[in-house]
Amino acid sequence: MRPAHRLRQILARFRDTEAGVAAVEFALILPIMLLIYIGSVEASALISVDRKVQNVSGAVGDLVARAKENLTLTELQDYVRVAGGIMAPYEPAPLQQIVTQVSVDEDGVATVVWSRGYEHENPKQSIAHGQGDEYPLPEAITAIAKEQFVIVAEASYKYRPLFGIVIDQDIQLYRENFYLPRFGGQIALN
């Protein structure tokens, strides 16, 4: 048998055989399916953490805005600790929180009355805003808060991806909430 004839027979058998086609197609599509699956898991975790950061910011701001006239540093730290528990089951260590009271004058200029910063539920004043500094409030908040006070609660979180395959770098999440004190007037921080 000549080599050319033998080669034609092998190619004909290969052409007529369909048993391995499904396995080859599956092998080609599997990496793409895995990337889509891992990407969707990463995206869901990121969305979940972002919602938790929003809840932390909202909870702390709401609790501070409910104070009548005075708020102690111990109460504020308790609020921060409780809100840090909202991050479960995610690691709370990368969580930073800043609570600030801002005074808005009749011209709409907002200045910091007091501000406290927390990193992983522990005080860290270096991340807080300076007393007397101008604070950039959104126009909508400034319009309704003229000649009043605003409680600003900020939360930030450095999200580290679960697998690092689809999303391969840390993502900084940040949320900010604004509240008018429930009982009006300034809330003194003692």
Side-chain angles (χ1 to χ4, degrees), residues 14 17-31:
F14 183 74
T17 303
E18 295 180 10
V21 173
V24 170
E25 288 175 351
F26 182 73
L28 291 173
I29 198 77
L30 181 65

Side-chain angles (χ1 to χ4, degrees), residues 73 76 97-100 114-118 124-125 128 189:
L73 283 170
L76 181 58
Q97 299 176 62
I98 302 172
V99 182
T100 306
W114 56 260
S115 183
R116 293 293 180 268
Y118 296 88
K124 186 174 182 182
Q125 201 54 29
L189 184 64

Side-chain angles (χ1 to χ4, degrees), residues 132-147:
D133 289 353
E134 197 169 313
Y135 192 92
L137 288 175
E139 288 182 31
I141 301 298
T142 304
I144 62 172
K146 284 187 179 176
E147 298 184 26

Side-chain angles (χ1 to χ4, degrees), residues 34-146:
L34 285 175
L35 272 177
I36 291 171
Y37 175 73
I38 291 170
S40 65
V41 169
E42 287 283 9
S44 327
L46 179 61
I47 290 168
S48 177
V49 170
D50 187 51
R51 285 183 182 164
K52 287 181 179 287
V53 170
Q54 173 63 36
N55 289 341
V56 164
S57 175
V60 171
D62 186 42
L63 289 169
V64 171
R66 290 176 188 226
K68 280 203 174 181
E69 294 174 358
N70 294 308
L71 181 69
T72 66
L73 283 170
T74 305
E75 288 174 321
L76 181 58
Q77 187 152 358
D78 287 344
Y79 296 161
V80 167
R81 281 190 185 126
V82 168
I86 293 172
M87 292 305 298
Y90 300 101
E91 177 64 36
L95 180 64
Q96 289 186 340
Q97 299 176 62
I98 302 172
V99 182
T100 306
Q101 182 171 20
V102 177
S103 173
V104 183
D105 67 14
E106 62 189 25
D107 298 325
V109 178
T111 54
V112 174
V113 176
W114 56 260
S115 183
R116 293 293 180 268
Y118 296 88
E119 184 171 73
H120 185 52
E121 304 170 4
N122 298 315
K124 186 174 182 182
Q125 201 54 29
S126 63
I127 63 172
H129 304 285
Q131 185 175 0
D133 289 353
E134 197 169 313
Y135 192 92
L137 288 175
E139 288 182 31
I141 301 298
T142 304
I144 62 172
K146 284 187 179 176

